[in-house]
């Protein structure tokens, strides 16, 4: 599969999973480090005018946790997402990349709570795409059984 085909495949998956009528409007993009997740997600967002956020670099996200690392819990991230997208001009889709620094605040069990709560979040006013290398598709499916279509795994044979 070449890069252009992958871009189209991801865009199609996002449009389906994150459509307004969907109960769970969250898609996970997973893959090994340097597999092209960021390039792919950023490209899709640029082509569609969806919002792309680098959680580590964009001001107001990771830096807002300074001093609250011990008390920041997975449910707080849902509130962060809702604040981000809960306005009158919310974009159709928001892609949030580089969430590993956030996940590193928690142990394995807390990370599982995060994946369950965010993956099964309802009533989101916009679709959310989360990009991570922290879990494989198989690991996410153990946490989110039956949500195969909500996980987009980077193929290993990508030609970037």
């Amino acid at each position: 599969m070449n890069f252009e085909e992958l871009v189209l495949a991801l865009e199609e998956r996002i449009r389906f999973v994150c459509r307004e009528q969907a109960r769970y409007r969250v898609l996970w993009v997973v893959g090994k480090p340097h597999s092209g997740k960021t390039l792919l997600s950023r490209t899709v967002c640029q082509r569609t005018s969806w919002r792309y956020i680098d959680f580590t670099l964009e001001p107001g996200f990771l830096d807002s946790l300074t001093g609250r690392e011990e008390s920041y819990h997975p449910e707080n991230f849902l509130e962060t997402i809702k604040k981000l997208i809960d306005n009158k001009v919310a974009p159709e889709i928001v892609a949030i990349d580089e969430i590993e620094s956030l996940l590193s605040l928690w142990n394995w069990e807390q990370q599982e709570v995060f994946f369950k709560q965010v993956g099964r979040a309802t009533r989101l006013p916009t679709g959310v795409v989360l990009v991570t290398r922290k879990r494989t598709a198989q690991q996410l499916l153990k946490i989110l059984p039956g949500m195969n279509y909500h996980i987009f795994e980077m193929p290993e044979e990508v030609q970037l």
Side-chain angles (χ1 to χ4, degrees):
M1 179 178 280
N2 67 33
F3 185 70
E4 185 60 32
E5 292 169 331
L6 199 56
V7 168
L8 294 173
L10 179 57
E11 181 182 342
E12 180 180 315
R13 180 78 65 90
I14 292 170
R15 287 188 187 282
F16 180 78
V17 169
C18 297
R19 69 194 185 283
E20 194 171 339
Q21 305 88 337
R23 181 175 185 189
Y24 306 119
R25 299 180 72 188
V26 176
L27 177 74
W28 302 91
V29 177
V30 299
K32 295 179 181 178
H34 308 290
S35 62
K37 299 177 303 294
T38 293
L39 177 62
L40 179 65
S41 301
R42 190 178 294 141
T43 300
V44 170
C45 287
Q46 287 171 342
R47 290 184 181 187
T48 56
S49 298
W50 294 335
R51 182 156 183 212
Y52 173 85
I53 296 169
D54 181 322
F55 194 80
T56 304
L57 297 177
E58 190 155 330
F61 291 92
L62 188 60
D63 58 338
S64 71
L65 301 181
T66 304
R68 300 182 337 152
E69 295 89 352
E70 295 294 320
S71 63
Y72 194 83
H73 299 289
E75 56 273 6
N76 297 120
F77 185 74
L78 270 177
E79 291 305 312
T80 299
I81 290 174
K82 287 179 181 176
K83 285 179 187 173
L84 168 73
I85 60 181
D86 194 22
N87 63 51
K88 292 179 175 33
V89 292
E92 180 183 1
I93 305 292
V94 173
I96 304 173
D97 196 356
E98 301 296 340
I99 63 170
E100 282 67 32
S101 53
L102 171 70
L103 294 173
S104 70
L105 297 175
W106 303 315
N107 63 35
W108 191 264
E109 291 79 24
Q110 288 172 308
Q111 288 179 24
E112 285 195 8
V113 168
F114 166 82
F115 287 113
K116 285 178 187 175
Q117 287 183 347
V118 174
R120 299 218 186 256
T122 57
R123 298 188 195 98
L124 292 175
T126 191
V128 176
V129 177
L130 292 166
V131 183
T132 184
R133 65 178 183 271
K134 203 68 164 171
R135 293 285 196 281
T136 65
Q138 290 83 8
Q139 290 170 327
L140 272 179
L141 283 172
K142 287 180 184 174
I143 299 167
L144 300 165
M147 297 191 74
N148 307 47
Y149 212 69
H150 288 259
I151 302 167
F152 186 92
E153 187 169 31
M154 292 295 292
E156 294 198 22
E157 74 281 353
V158 176
Q159 301 168 8
L160 296 179

